[in-house]
Amino acid sequence: MADELAVVALLRSVQAGPDQATRDRIRQRVLTAPPPVPVAPVRRISARARLAVAAAAVLCLLMSLAGMSVLLSRDALPGDALYGVKRTAESASLGFVFDEEGRALKHLEFAAARISEMEALADRGAPSGDHLRALNDLDADATEGSNRLTTYGANADGRVLPSLSDWATAQHTRLTGLRPRLPVDVAERTDGSLALLTAIAQRADDLDARAGCSPITSGETDALGPLPAQDCSKVIVDPNSSSSRIPSGQPTQSTPPSSVPVSPTQPSPPQQAQPPSPGLLPTVPGLPPVSNPTTKPGITIPLPLPLPSISLPGLPGISFGN
């Protein structure tokens, strides 16, 4: 290794490196250099935070899938894989309806949709089980909708009762036309749904016919809603006076108004008017004055407005009005 040792000795003898001026310049640059900017430490995400982020991502994915499933299930029929999703979405939509009339109309809408599904099933030639499922759902929604709507119509707004009758009649017509296309066992089961729709229309008509009665309902209810009252007391309004409520079968007495000639010489003192006899309305003209042998002259007191004649039993010959 004599040659290698000679090279090392030669390198040691060489004065290699920067000169003094270069060293001073390098030292000055190092001393005047700005301090280094501290680097922020990297914050590590904890396991709980990573779990929350993963859960949020999974939730968003599930919501997206659920929305797509609901959208795709709009045309699903009984027996399809997404039909359960469709029925679940319909039930959930009831939670966003807060008034009684709106919830009743939702149930009737679902019942009509079941008939549309049966029409599509008949075109497809679906088995009887799918038809029976649709019929059961039809009966349930029609019954619930009728119960809510008749209760609302009898207690709040009677204008919905004719609409309920029209709806039941229309669905009865649709189901009757569909019946020949159904399997034999389903056709027999359809008769029960037809009878239900007939009963709903009849209940709505009976309650609507008693809209002017008091009371409208009997106070009892069944699956279709309140039962109509058997006895009907009509409300009769006299156009010449305030409204009055009398039974429709109660007889009324009416006689033409009468008056006694005015005597300007000897007016009689005003007397307290006696209440009319039982069975007479205050707005119905009273009986003619009862004749009584007396020498007191009669008097008629004109009033600003035309009023029916009222006779005073204690004071014959005195009447109020024209």
Side-chain angles (χ1 to χ4, degrees):
M1 297 178 59
D3 296 337
E4 288 78 1
L5 293 176
V7 171
V8 170
L10 182 60
L11 292 175
R12 288 178 177 177
S13 62
V14 175
Q15 297 296 329
D19 56 4
Q20 187 63 34
T22 302
R23 292 179 180 177
D24 294 341
R25 187 172 65 253
I26 295 174
R27 184 182 298 108
Q28 186 65 24
R29 182 181 298 175
V30 171
L31 294 177
T32 59
V37 178
V39 179
V42 178
R43 184 177 180 180
R44 302 184 61 183
I45 301 177
S46 63
R48 181 176 299 178
R50 290 196 297 270
L51 181 60
V53 172
V58 172
L59 181 60
C60 293
L61 179 61
L62 291 178
M63 292 180 63
S64 300
L65 293 176
M68 294 179 60
S69 300
V70 171
L71 183 62
L72 295 175
S73 66
R74 295 176 59 182
D75 297 329
L77 300 176
D80 294 345
L82 294 178
Y83 186 72
V85 177
K86 177 181 180 179
R87 294 292 288 145
T88 302
E90 289 179 352
S91 300
S93 65
L94 291 172
F96 297 97
V97 182
F98 303 101
D99 61 293
E100 195 67 16
E101 181 184 5
R103 293 178 69 89
L105 294 178
K106 271 290 185 182
H107 282 288
L108 297 182
E109 177 185 347
F110 298 155
R114 303 293 83 84
I115 299 181
S116 300
E117 293 171 356
M118 292 182 64
E119 293 173 347
L121 290 174
D123 296 336
R124 179 190 294 183
S128 301
D130 297 340
H131 288 283
L132 294 176
R133 180 178 182 181
L135 279 175
N136 293 333
D137 292 342
L138 164 64
D139 292 349
D141 284 318
T143 301
E144 183 67 19
S146 171
N147 191 312
R148 291 179 178 273
L149 203 58
T150 52
T151 302
Y152 177 80
N155 298 327
D157 188 357
R159 293 175 295 179
V160 302
L161 296 174
S163 300
L164 175 60
S165 178
D166 294 341
W167 176 87
T169 302
Q171 306 313 313
H172 187 282
T173 302
R174 293 179 61 194
L175 196 56
T176 302
L178 178 63
R179 188 180 186 279
R181 302 169 52 194
L182 302 176
V184 177
D185 55 342
V186 178
E188 296 176 354
R189 168 63 178 80
T190 304
D191 294 338
S193 298
L194 291 173
L196 175 63
L197 293 173
T198 301
I200 292 175
Q202 186 63 44
R203 178 65 57 84
D205 290 338
D206 291 343
L207 290 174
D208 184 51
R210 288 163 174 76
C213 300
S214 178
I216 298 177
T217 65
S218 63
E220 300 179 357
T221 60
D222 60 3
L224 300 182
L227 297 173
Q230 297 297 328
D231 299 329
C232 178
S233 298
K234 291 292 185 181
V235 178
I236 300 178
V237 179
D238 190 345
N240 296 325
S241 64
S242 59
S243 60
S244 303
R245 301 173 69 93
I246 63 173
S248 57
Q250 179 178 346
T252 58
Q253 299 180 7
S254 174
T255 57
S258 63
S259 61
V260 180
V262 179
S263 175
T265 58
Q266 187 178 358
S268 60
Q271 301 292 334
Q272 294 291 332
Q274 299 296 328
S277 58
L280 295 178
L281 292 176
T283 58
V284 178
L287 295 174
V290 180
S291 59
N292 190 3
T294 178
T295 57
K296 293 182 180 180
I299 181 171
T300 299
I301 303 176
L303 297 177
L305 297 176
L307 295 176
S309 176
I310 302 176
S311 63
L312 302 180
L315 297 174
I318 298 180
S319 61
F320 294 89
N322 295 330

